Amino acid sequence: MVTVENDKTLSFPPTQAPLRSFSREETFARLLEGIQDCAIYMLDPEGHVVSWNAGAERIKGYASTEIIGKHFSEFYTPEDRASGVPAFALTQAAQKGKFEGEGWRLKKDGSRFWASVLIDAIRAGDELLGFAKITRDMTDRRMMQEQLHQSQKMEAIGQLTGGVAHDFNNLLTVILGNLDALSQQVPAEHARWRRAIDQAMRASERAASLTQQLLAFARRQPLKPKPSDVNRLLSRWVDLVRRTLPESVSIRRVEDPEAGIAEVDQNQLENALLNLAVNARDAMPNGGTLTIETANTVVDTHDATVPFDLKPGKYVLISVSDTGIGMTQEVLERAFEPFFTTKPLGHGTGLGLSQVFGFVKQTGGSIKIHSRSSHGTTVKIYLPRLSEGTVTQESAKVDLLPYGKASASILVVEDNDDVRAFTVEALLHYGFNVIEAANASEALRVLESKSAIDLLFTDIGLPGLNGRELVSTVQRKYPNIRILFTSGYAQMPSPTSSHWLPEIPLLSKPFTQSQLYEGVLRVLTS
Ligand code: ADP
Ligand code: MG
C-alpha cells in the first residue's frame, strides 16, 4: 500500500506482493512525488481522480485537494468532451490494457497545453481497479516542431521561387533589351509598331517587377545595405505614408531614442514598412490606429515572444501594430507565403508580407507576427544592430558622359548566350570595344593575352569559377581593371557577413540598354 499526500490509500502495484514492503513502498512514494516533469495520477474505474503527484500540480495547476474526486474529463477541451474523447480513451485502456494519445488539454486557468498521454488499466485478476495516467506537457516541443516545419516549408517555397525568378530575369533581360533596341530603331511615324513595342515593354516591365518581388521573397534580391539610423528613416517615412492612409486611420509613433543603427537597404526597408502599412489599412476598414514603434533590443534567451530562429545578439526592433481585424491561426500560418491572400481578386497580390519576410531574413534579421482574430496585429521586425557606425550619406549622382564618347574596352563574362549577345551588342552600340567570354577561365585567358581591358562586366552565377572568384583573381592580378557585377540575384547570406557587395557595384538583371550604359559609365568615371 502506498500512502499519498491526500490520505487516500491505493494498492500499487496491485498484483505483486512487495518483497520488502516498507522500503519499497516508501521508495516508490518518493519516486512518484519527486517526478516534476510528468503528471502521474490514478483514476477509479469511472474516471475520477484518486491520486495526484507534484508533477500533476505543476503541469495542470490544480492542488490535489481541488481535483481529487473530480472527473478526469475536466482536463479535456469542450470540443473533445463533446465528441467523447475522454470516454473513448478509458474504454480503450480498459479493453486493450492501455491507451496512448496526444492532444490539447486544459489547465486550471483555462490555458491549453499539448499533452502526451498514457493510460494504463490496473487490474487485479479480472477486476478493473482503475487507471494509472501519465501526462507530459509537450507544448514547447510541439511549438518547435511546428516552427521548424514552417521554416522548412518557407525554405522549400523560397528555393522554388528563387529558381524560377532567376531564370525569368535572364529571359526578361533579353526581351526587354531587344524591345528597347527595337524601339530606338522604329521611326516615330510607324505609330502602330511603336504602340505594339510599348505594350510589350510595359508587359515585360510588369513581369520584371513581379520577378523582383519573387526574388525578394527568396532572399535573393540585390540589396544595397548601408548603416542607417532607423529612427531618422522612420520619421521621414511616416511623413510620406501619412498621405496615403485614409483620415480614419491615425498614426502613432513610439520612438526609442537609443533604437540604434542597422545596416539595411533603405529603399527596401521603406518598401517593407509600406507593405505593412497597407495591410494595416486594409485590416481597419472602419479606421483605427497604426502604431510604429522602435526599440533597442538585446536577445539573450529564447522565449515564445521572439522568432525561434533569432540568434542571440543586439537588434533594432521595429514593431508595426494595428487595431484591425487580426488573423486567424490558419491565416497566420500562411501569411508569408507568396500569393497567399484573403483579399478579393484585384485587391491583394499576396506578395506584401513575402517581400517583408524575404527582405528581413536576407538582412540577417527575423520577423514575427502576433495576431488574433478581432484583436489586431503586430508585426515585429528584428534588424541586426551595428555596435557603432557612421551613417553614410546618399552618394551624389555622377554626371553621365554624352553618348558616343565611350571608347573603353569592356570584357563581358556571361554564361547565358542570349544575355551575353544582347549585352555585347548594346555596348558596341554605344561605341565601346567589347570582348566576350562565356565563363571565368575564358575570361582569364583573354586577360592574359590582352591587357588593355578597362572594365570587367561579369555575371556572378557562372559555371565553374563563379563571378566573385573571378573578380578576386582579377583584383589581385590586374588591380587597375574596374569591375561591375551583374546578377539575377545576389547570393549573399547576409549583408553584415559579407561586405563585398557595397564595394563592388552591381547592375541587377533585367537591365535595359540605357541602364547598362549608365551602370558602365558610372563605374568607368568613378
Ligand atoms: P495581400 O495584402 O496582397 O493580401 P500580404 O502578403 O500583404 O498580401 O498579406 C497576406 C494576407 O495576410 C492578407 O491577405 C491578410 O489575410 C493577412 N494580413 C496581412 N496583414 C494583416 C493585418 N495587418 N491584419 C490582418 N490580416 C493581415
Ligand atoms: Mg499586403
Side-chain angles (χ1 to χ4, degrees), residues 390-518:
T390 46
V391 181
T392 41
Q393 298 299 318
E394 272 309 319
S395 61
K397 279 209 159 185
V398 293
D399 288 330
L400 296 183
L401 293 177
Y403 286 6
K405 283 231 174 135
S407 60
S409 294
I410 301 177
L411 173 57
V412 175
V413 191
E414 167 66 65
D415 57 320
N416 182 299
D417 293 341
D418 291 336
V419 176
R420 193 174 64 248
F422 157 70
T423 309
V424 168
E425 229 171 276
L427 291 172
L428 285 172
H429 168 80
Y430 290 118
F432 293 103
N433 301 315
V434 187
I435 303 162
E436 56 186 295
N439 55 48
S441 48
E442 250 181 55
L444 289 171
R445 269 200 301 278
V446 169
L447 287 167
E448 266 163 42
S449 62
K450 187 177 189 310
S451 52
I453 299 288
D454 300 293
L455 173 81
L456 169 68
F457 178 58
T458 179
D459 191 18
I460 292 176
L462 292 171
L465 214 60
N466 69 32
R468 255 180 285 173
E469 291 161 335
L470 169 65
V471 162
S472 72
T473 308
V474 171
Q475 282 182 322
R476 210 176 48 243
K477 282 193 170 172
Y478 313 97
N480 292 330
I481 296 184
R482 300 184 179 214
I483 290 157
L484 175 60
F485 273 131
T486 182
S487 177
Y489 51 69
Q491 283 170 311
M492 45 175 199
S494 107
T496 36
S497 68
S498 69
H499 284 274
W500 60 271
L501 197 64
E503 290 159 18
I504 298 181
L506 171 83
L507 178 66
S508 350
K509 293 177 185 173
F511 46 80
T512 61
Q513 280 200 4
S514 47
Q515 284 165 339
L516 172 64
Y517 178 71
E518 279 179 30

Side-chain angles (χ1 to χ4, degrees), residues 28-47:
F28 183 72
R30 280 195 184 155
L31 175 74
L32 209 63
E33 229 359 79
I35 294 173
Q36 296 275 332
D37 285 338
C38 297
I40 301 178
Y41 54 100
M42 298 200 52
L43 305 176
D44 68 14
E46 286 74 46

Side-chain angles (χ1 to χ4, degrees), residues 140-150 152:
D140 286 349
R141 191 190 292 182
R142 185 178 161 90
M143 292 300 194
M144 286 300 279
Q145 277 169 346
E146 267 176 11
Q147 282 170 333
L148 189 66
H149 174 77
Q150 186 73 5
Q152 283 167 340

Side-chain angles (χ1 to χ4, degrees), residues 275 278-279 343 352-353:
N275 287 338
V278 168
N279 284 346
K343 296 171 190 173
L353 284 180

Side-chain angles (χ1 to χ4, degrees), residues 88 99 102 115 140 147 158 181 218 290 325 359 373 433 522 524:
F88 174 78
F99 169 83
E102 291 201 347
D140 286 349
Q147 282 170 333
L290 170 69
I325 55 172
F359 158 69
S373 264
N433 301 315
R522 195 164 283 144
L524 284 173

Side-chain angles (χ1 to χ4, degrees), residues 235-246:
S235 72
R236 235 188 314 138
W237 175 82
V238 165
D239 289 340
L240 189 95
V241 83
R242 207 182 294 272
R243 275 174 260 147
T244 69
L245 293 175

Side-chain angles (χ1 to χ4, degrees), residues 203-409:
S204 314
E205 274 157 11
R206 273 205 304 279
S209 89
L210 189 64
T211 307
Q212 205 49 48
Q213 285 171 293
L214 293 181
L215 276 184
F217 168 72
R219 295 173 236 170
R220 287 166 173 181
Q221 69 179 326
L223 291 179
K224 297 194 183 76
K226 59 180 181 188
S228 314
D229 180 329
V230 172
N231 281 332
R232 200 183 313 162
L233 185 139
L234 273 174
S235 72
R236 235 188 314 138
W237 175 82
V238 165
D239 289 340
L240 189 95
V241 83
R242 207 182 294 272
R243 275 174 260 147
T244 69
L245 293 175
E247 276 182 8
S248 56
V249 173
S250 50
I251 301 190
R252 195 167 71 98
R253 275 193 68 203
V254 184
E255 188 180 294
D256 176 354
E258 304 292 314
I261 290 169
E263 193 168 14
V264 284
D265 183 314
Q266 299 190 352
N267 287 334
Q268 289 305 322
L269 178 57
E270 287 180 1
N271 195 7
L273 292 167
L274 190 63
N275 287 338
L276 295 179
V278 168
N279 284 346
R281 180 202 66 194
D282 292 348
M284 302 187 287
N286 302 319
T289 305
L290 170 69
T291 305
I292 297 138
E293 190 173 349
T294 56
N296 178 320
T297 301
V298 176
V299 173
D300 40 17
T301 51
H302 251 278
D303 62 49
T305 63
V306 302
F308 95 116
D309 59 351
L310 194 66
K311 297 185 191 77
K314 300 172 184 163
Y315 294 91
V316 181
L317 172 62
I318 307 175
S319 310
V320 180
S321 314
D322 63 58
T323 52
I325 55 172
M327 298 186 212
T328 61
Q329 188 61 28
E330 291 73 36
V331 171
L332 194 57
E333 277 168 17
R334 301 194 55 195
F336 289 131
E337 284 177 24
F339 301 115
F340 175 81
T341 179
T342 56
K343 296 171 190 173
L345 204 67
H347 287 265
T349 58
L351 289 169
L353 284 180
S354 54
Q355 181 271 337
V356 184
F357 174 88
F359 158 69
V360 171
K361 292 282 194 154
Q362 197 181 344
T363 305
S366 196
I367 180 166
K368 192 170 168 94
I369 306 177
H370 304 259
S371 185
R372 259 195 313 144
S373 264
S374 327
H375 282 81
T377 299
T378 298
V379 181
K380 291 191 168 183
I381 293 177
Y382 295 79
L383 299 171
R385 177 155 48 90
L386 290 185
S387 17
E388 61 206 65
T390 46
V391 181
T392 41
Q393 298 299 318
E394 272 309 319
S395 61
K397 279 209 159 185
V398 293
D399 288 330
L400 296 183
L401 293 177
Y403 286 6
K405 283 231 174 135
S407 60
S409 294

Side-chain angles (χ1 to χ4, degrees), residues 13-306:
T15 49
Q16 208 183 334
L19 285 175
R20 260 186 274 143
S21 66
F22 180 75
S23 73
R24 213 186 135 107
E25 283 164 4
E26 195 186 50
T27 311
F28 183 72
R30 280 195 184 155
L31 175 74
L32 209 63
E33 229 359 79
I35 294 173
Q36 296 275 332
D37 285 338
C38 297
I40 301 178
Y41 54 100
M42 298 200 52
L43 305 176
D44 68 14
E46 286 74 46
H48 298 100
V49 177
V50 291
S51 78
W52 199 244
N53 80 335
E57 177 164 351
R58 194 186 67 81
I59 292 174
K60 299 191 191 245
Y62 296 94
S64 59
T65 46
E66 295 171 302
I67 199 67
I68 299 243
K70 298 254 173 69
H71 198 261
F72 87 116
S73 58
E74 292 224 358
F75 308 134
Y76 288 72
T77 62
E79 308 90 86
D80 281 355
R81 275 204 297 269
S83 51
V85 176
F88 174 78
L90 277 202
T91 316
Q92 286 281 306
Q95 286 173 356
K96 299 195 170 152
K98 74 169 180 181
F99 169 83
E100 273 187 272
E102 291 201 347
W104 291 110
R105 296 289 185 273
L106 295 177
K107 298 188 182 196
K108 183 186 164 189
D109 64 8
S111 62
R112 294 182 176 206
F113 69 100
W114 185 258
S116 156
V117 177
L118 177 65
I119 306 178
D120 269 310
I122 302 194
R123 291 179 179 280
D126 282 345
E127 194 195 348
L128 179 67
L129 299 177
F131 302 93
K133 197 161 183 285
I134 303 179
T135 303
R136 288 178 68 193
D137 180 351
M138 308 297 272
T139 314
D140 286 349
R141 191 190 292 182
R142 185 178 161 90
M143 292 300 194
M144 286 300 279
Q145 277 169 346
E146 267 176 11
Q147 282 170 333
L148 189 66
H149 174 77
Q150 186 73 5
S151 83
Q152 283 167 340
K153 184 183 80 179
M154 296 303 270
E155 195 61 38
I157 307 176
Q159 287 281 341
L160 178 69
T161 320
V164 171
H166 175 257
D167 286 4
F168 263 82
N169 260 346
N170 277 339
L171 297 172
L172 285 166
T173 304
V174 179
I175 295 170
L176 265 172
N178 282 310
L179 285 172
D180 187 35
L182 265 182
S183 84
Q184 289 177 22
Q185 295 301 316
V186 174
E189 54 272 25
H190 287 73
R192 218 186 111 221
W193 292 116
R194 291 217 65 97
R195 258 203 321 277
I197 291 171
D198 284 350
Q199 277 176 13
M201 284 272 257
R202 275 200 299 279
S204 314
E205 274 157 11
R206 273 205 304 279
S209 89
L210 189 64
T211 307
Q212 205 49 48
Q213 285 171 293
L214 293 181
L215 276 184
F217 168 72
R219 295 173 236 170
R220 287 166 173 181
Q221 69 179 326
L223 291 179
K224 297 194 183 76
K226 59 180 181 188
S228 314
D229 180 329
V230 172
N231 281 332
R232 200 183 313 162
L233 185 139
L234 273 174
S235 72
R236 235 188 314 138
W237 175 82
V238 165
D239 289 340
L240 189 95
V241 83
R242 207 182 294 272
R243 275 174 260 147
T244 69
L245 293 175
E247 276 182 8
S248 56
V249 173
S250 50
I251 301 190
R252 195 167 71 98
R253 275 193 68 203
V254 184
E255 188 180 294
D256 176 354
E258 304 292 314
I261 290 169
E263 193 168 14
V264 284
D265 183 314
Q266 299 190 352
N267 287 334
Q268 289 305 322
L269 178 57
E270 287 180 1
N271 195 7
L273 292 167
L274 190 63
N275 287 338
L276 295 179
V278 168
N279 284 346
R281 180 202 66 194
D282 292 348
M284 302 187 287
N286 302 319
T289 305
L290 170 69
T291 305
I292 297 138
E293 190 173 349
T294 56
N296 178 320
T297 301
V298 176
V299 173
D300 40 17
T301 51
H302 251 278
D303 62 49
T305 63
V306 302

